[in-house]
Amino acid sequence: MPYGNDEHTGGIGQRIAELRAVRGYSLRQLGQRSHVSASMLSMIEKGDRNASEEIVAAVARALDVGVSNLRGQPYRQQLQQDRIDRMIEPLGGALDNWDLDPDPAAPPPRPLADLRADVARTIQMRAAANLGGLAEKLPSLIAEILHAIHVQDELGHAREELYGLQAEAARGVWRVAYRVGEMHLARLALSRMAQAAAQSGDPRQAAVERWMRAQTSVEGGRPGVDTGLRLVNQALKELDDDGSSETLAVRGALHLKGSILASRQGDKDGSDAWLEEARGMAQETGETRVYELTFGPTNVELHAVAAAADQDKHGLALKRAAKVEIPQDYPPGRAGHFYIDLARAQAWTARHDEAFESLLKARETAPQMTRHHPQVHETAAALRRARTRVPDPLREFSLWCGV
């Protein structure tokens, strides 16, 4: 349950301790099952050490729970405050009705150009991490695109484009569900996206679906990370390098995902190898916004920061972050994620004031994503534990995000 006082700042360590007690494991037994030392687990439970993504994945597997369970997601109070909770069921209903005939009472669908423009607006919402706006708009849009597919009898480019729009709409549902920790809905959205992408005539869109599935697989702990790398490799195998900048950007984004997944396996050399390949591709493409993957030199360096932080190498993360310059027109969701990674590294190197400033930048840049991001909750909890008296601004921020 979210709290706002100084007595409960255990975060993920507290949940590990609670689940360990439920399972009846001693620290030594959990350490043996997760291949994490008992002393490290003890420090994490007390809040004295950061729980790296690799450790979180290993402990989740050992406790037979999803990573989102250890993080305490979904954050129900924040969903209610952002009015997203009331849209979860309609989003699920829209996906459940994916293959049904249209409602006979529904008005005719609008022209393809209007649907294309509406989907473009949802893509802008995704880039801005406007989760509430997405959740509000997508159910009716999904139904209308489905209706348009049914009345488009002839095969051809128009029908393929409609399937492409359907895939993008499903991707929007995934973005909302994944960010707020509704993992069952996120996986359903991906299955719907895969169906639509296969009929869109666009192999890059199918590769993007595998990219997203690789991201989602992390919630399954270490086996999920292994599956994620298999998905990345499969997508690269299936997506032929046709020499276009669009395909190169998608392939580059897959390499960045490979770098993060290898990092979460504890494979630093593998992570660096993926990263270096992506860096070379980014020099060829420059900054791109292909399929909202934001691939380019800037995103490569942002992933380098995240990979180091995931490995609990926070000094290296800060060194890399010092070289990053976020362009003014950079997508807010991606920029906000950088500030969240930066705050984590600053907090665990005792740069507490700087960490809080980074959290505030993240909130200013992408407020809804920041409120629902598990790293924000863990970093805010760490900053509270580091103080004998919590300053009012940090207390206010904690109440805002539910820590």
Side-chain angles (χ1 to χ4, degrees):
M1 178 177 179
Y3 43 77
N5 57 56
D6 301 343
E7 298 177 359
H8 302 283
T9 54
I12 201 166
Q14 180 176 303
R15 285 186 287 277
I16 290 173
E18 291 171 351
L19 285 166
R20 179 171 63 80
V22 169
R23 298 288 188 268
Y25 298 150
S26 66
L27 280 168
R28 180 172 173 272
Q29 288 171 322
L30 180 56
Q32 289 174 335
R33 293 175 64 89
S34 62
H35 305 289
V36 178
S37 71
S39 60
M40 174 65 78
L41 288 172
S42 177
M43 287 188 289
I44 289 171
E45 287 187 1
K46 294 174 183 175
D48 295 332
R49 282 294 301 269
N50 174 54
S52 70
E53 295 295 339
E54 179 189 358
I55 289 176
V56 171
V59 172
R61 174 65 176 175
L63 291 169
D64 194 26
V65 297
V67 170
S68 58
N69 295 111
L70 286 187
R71 291 171 175 160
Q73 293 177 288
Y75 308 125
R76 296 297 179 189
Q77 187 180 63
Q78 286 65 51
L79 289 176
Q80 292 170 1
Q81 290 171 352
D82 287 341
R83 302 178 68 191
I84 297 175
D85 62 314
R86 63 191 178 89
M87 294 307 302
I88 295 299
E89 186 173 347
L91 287 170
L95 297 182
D96 284 339
N97 297 337
W98 195 260
D99 56 354
L100 297 183
D101 291 337
D103 182 350
R110 291 170 294 159
L112 176 58
D114 291 348
L115 296 177
R116 185 189 303 128
D118 256 12
V119 170
R121 281 188 279 273
T122 68
I123 293 173
Q124 291 174 345
M125 290 179 187
R126 291 200 319 245
N130 181 0
L131 305 181
L134 276 173
E136 189 78 34
K137 188 171 186 62
L138 284 169
S140 60
L141 181 58
I142 288 171
E144 189 174 10
I145 293 172
L146 175 65
H147 194 166
I149 290 172
H150 275 271
V151 300
Q152 181 70 39
D153 294 330
E154 296 184 8
L155 298 176
H157 178 71
R159 190 175 180 86
E160 285 185 340
E161 184 175 358
L162 284 168
Y163 279 118
L165 296 179
Q166 192 180 43
E168 287 297 332
R171 185 178 176 185
V173 177
W174 175 85
R175 176 61 60 85
V176 174
Y178 183 79
R179 284 300 182 200
V180 303
E182 294 282 354
M183 301 314 300
H184 291 296
L185 180 59
R187 292 187 178 94
L188 177 59
L190 285 181
S191 71
R192 299 309 195 209
M193 181 182 178
Q195 292 172 14
Q199 299 180 78
S200 70
D202 185 352
R204 291 188 290 261
Q205 197 164 50
V208 170
E209 185 274 331
R210 291 193 183 275
W211 179 94
M212 294 160 57
R213 189 148 41 117
Q215 174 73 22
T216 309
S217 71
V218 173
E219 302 302 315
R222 176 59 185 265
V225 175
D226 295 343
T227 299
L229 276 171
R230 288 170 55 202
L231 285 163
V232 167
N233 282 303
Q234 185 72 24
L236 287 169
K237 180 181 177 181
E238 293 172 347
L239 182 61
D240 293 331
D241 187 356
D242 58 10
S244 70
S245 60
E246 291 84 359
T247 295
L248 186 59
V250 174
R251 290 177 64 84
L254 287 164
H255 278 76
L256 289 180
K257 186 60 63 185
S259 175
I260 292 296
L261 292 169
S263 175
R264 295 188 180 189
Q265 283 184 326
D267 181 5
K268 180 184 182 302
D269 290 341
S271 177
D272 289 346
W274 282 103
L275 196 64
E276 281 307 309
E277 287 198 53
R279 187 171 280 118
M281 295 176 182
Q283 293 303 317
E284 291 187 51
T285 64
E287 300 291 354
T288 72
R289 304 289 167 88
V290 175
Y291 296 89
E292 202 210 331
L293 295 173
T294 322
F295 181 72
T298 300
N299 205 12
V300 169
E301 300 314 315
L302 299 190
H303 276 74
V305 173
D310 283 349
Q311 296 168 33
D312 215 9
K313 299 182 183 298
H314 299 297
L316 177 59
L318 292 178
K319 184 178 179 180
R320 290 174 172 176
K323 301 177 182 178
V324 171
E325 293 186 12
I326 303 291
Q328 286 190 342
D329 64 342
Y330 214 60
R334 194 68 198 92
H337 205 296
F338 166 69
Y339 292 124
I340 291 169
D341 286 329
L342 179 60
R344 173 175 49 161
Q346 290 166 331
W348 289 103
T349 52
R351 295 169 170 82
H352 301 137
D353 291 341
E354 294 174 30
F356 184 54
E357 287 299 318
S358 295
L359 289 180
L360 293 178
K361 285 182 181 178
R363 180 169 69 174
E364 179 183 359
T365 304
Q368 288 188 340
M369 183 187 75
T370 300
R371 186 201 286 265
H372 295 282
H373 203 292
Q375 283 181 20
V376 171
H377 287 231
E378 294 306 310
T379 300
L383 293 179
R384 289 167 64 94
R385 289 194 299 269
R387 290 166 165 80
T388 55
R389 182 182 178 281
V390 179
D392 288 343
L394 178 55
R395 186 189 304 277
E396 180 275 327
F397 183 90
S398 300
L399 286 169
W400 173 76
C401 68
V403 174

